[in-house]
């Protein structure tokens, strides 16, 4: 939830979403009593909400009475990913980049000020990064994907995104202020390959570039604090390939 709270919120919808969020983020099925306690709701309201969510397919009731996310959550997730109009041949180019370089390849976009990873092709020379998976929102200030996209924006728009998202530290090398990030980006030009070394995860480096004429960025990750030169070259080719003639 971001920004000021609207005056015309429908409280029952907010409560239902809160229940769904608590069940979805839990590491085990939850009983109604636990849901009520975690959401700060009375028990009768919680029973009404979980029954409605079960009927609509957003929760699933186990035989013992505990609840898990339902199949409609997965349906909405896939529909959300499909709603992004990817560049033609994006999946093919991403897979070729991962195969040719051996490094995991990512496709991302800034949507409403949030950095969204839309597609991933895994490669054996990259670590598995749990926050860089399809459908997940990640940090624009600490990732090469985010930096490449931020670089393409006017400074005042960039500042607004960074201020809204926050400057969380992921490692000791993560830029922690807008000014620090602006200083890092000052020597780069829009469209250039951007790298980050150990700012998002310890002992991991990433590189990314924006596809010309689009609001999409392609990136790769590598173990260690450098992006191998051959991998960076494959990335540059993939960007040109996705841009088309």
């Amino acid at each position: 939830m971001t920004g000021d709270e609207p005056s015309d919120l429908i409280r029952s919808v907010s409560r239902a979403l809160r229940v769904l969020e608590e069940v979805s983020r839990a590491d085990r099925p939850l009983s109604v009593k636990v849901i009520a306690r975690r959401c700060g709701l009375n028990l009768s309201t919680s029973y009404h909400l979980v029954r409605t969510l079960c009927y609509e397919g957003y929760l699933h009731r186990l035989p013992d009475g505990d609840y898990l996310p339902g199949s409609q959550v997965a349906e909405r997730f896939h529909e959300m990913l499909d709603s992004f109009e990817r560049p033609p041949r994006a999946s093919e180019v991403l897979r070729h980049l991962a195969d040719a370089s051996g490094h995991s390849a990512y496709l991302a976009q800034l949507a409403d000020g949030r950095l969204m990873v839309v597609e991933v092709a895994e490669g054996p020379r990259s670590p598995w990064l749990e926050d860089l998976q399809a459908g997940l929102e990640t940090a624009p200030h600490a990732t090469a994907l985010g930096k490449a996209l931020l670089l393409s924006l006017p400074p005042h728009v960039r500042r607004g995104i960074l201020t809204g998202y926050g400057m969380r530290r992921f490692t000791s090398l993560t830029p922690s202020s807008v000014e620090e990030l602006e200083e890092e980006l000052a020597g780069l030009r829009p469209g250039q390959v951007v790298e980050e070394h150990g700012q998002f995860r310890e002992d991991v480096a990433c590189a990314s570039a924006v596809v010309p004429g689009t609001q999409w960025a392609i990136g790769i990750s590598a173990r260690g604090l450098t992006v191998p030169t051959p991998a960076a070259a494959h990335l540059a080719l993939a960007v040109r390939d996705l841009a088309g003639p």
Side-chain angles (χ1 to χ4, degrees):
M1 190 160 33
T2 60
D4 296 330
E5 182 177 288
S7 59
D8 58 348
L9 285 181
I10 300 176
R11 298 295 175 182
S12 59
V13 175
S14 295
R15 288 191 286 266
L17 290 172
R18 200 184 321 155
V19 168
L20 185 57
E21 289 168 357
E22 283 295 336
V23 174
S24 297
R25 69 167 61 104
D27 58 3
R28 58 181 177 82
L30 300 181
S31 67
V32 178
K33 288 183 179 179
V34 172
I35 292 170
R37 185 175 70 251
R38 292 188 179 184
C39 294
L41 301 172
N42 64 52
L43 195 56
S44 62
T45 297
S46 298
Y47 272 112
H48 287 303
L49 290 171
V50 297
R51 284 171 184 157
T52 302
L53 288 167
C54 279
Y55 175 77
E56 298 292 348
Y58 289 93
L59 289 182
H60 172 68
R61 186 179 186 275
L62 297 174
D64 63 2
D66 290 349
Y67 291 86
L68 290 170
S71 61
Q72 288 300 311
V73 175
E75 291 284 344
R76 301 292 83 76
F77 172 78
H78 289 294
E79 288 170 359
M80 181 271 293
L81 287 180
D82 290 343
S83 70
F84 286 90
E85 295 184 3
R86 300 164 175 79
R89 300 179 53 250
S91 296
E92 177 188 341
V93 170
L94 220 63
R95 186 67 262 166
H96 178 74
L97 173 57
D99 290 342
S101 68
H103 294 269
S104 294
Y106 312 90
L107 181 71
Q109 186 181 72
L110 283 168
D112 296 326
R114 303 289 178 171
L115 178 61
M116 179 73 70
V117 178
V118 175
E119 195 161 339
V120 180
E122 298 286 352
R125 296 179 183 173
S126 297
W128 186 82
L129 299 172
E130 69 279 4
D131 289 341
L132 292 185
Q133 298 301 312
L136 297 186
E137 178 186 312
T138 192
H141 67 291
T143 59
L145 289 164
K147 293 173 194 286
L149 289 163
L150 289 170
L151 186 62
S152 69
L153 300 175
H156 71 281
V157 177
R158 192 158 60 226
R159 177 176 286 273
I161 290 173
L162 293 169
T163 302
Y165 187 86
M167 304 286 287
R168 173 190 164 190
R169 273 196 179 275
F170 292 88
T171 75
S172 61
L173 300 174
T174 307
S176 58
S177 69
V178 175
E179 291 71 25
E180 187 178 351
L181 183 60
E182 288 291 346
E183 184 177 350
E184 180 182 332
L185 298 178
L188 302 172
R189 62 184 184 279
Q192 188 173 344
V193 173
V194 179
E195 295 190 11
E196 66 85 8
H197 310 101
Q199 294 184 350
F200 184 61
R201 289 290 183 270
E202 301 282 357
D203 203 35
V204 175
C206 296
S208 179
V210 172
V211 178
T214 77
Q215 297 178 323
W216 291 96
I218 299 180
I220 55 173
S221 62
R223 295 184 179 89
L225 294 179
T226 59
V227 176
T229 300
H234 282 297
L235 171 64
L237 288 172
V239 170
R240 288 199 292 271
D241 193 13
L242 202 53

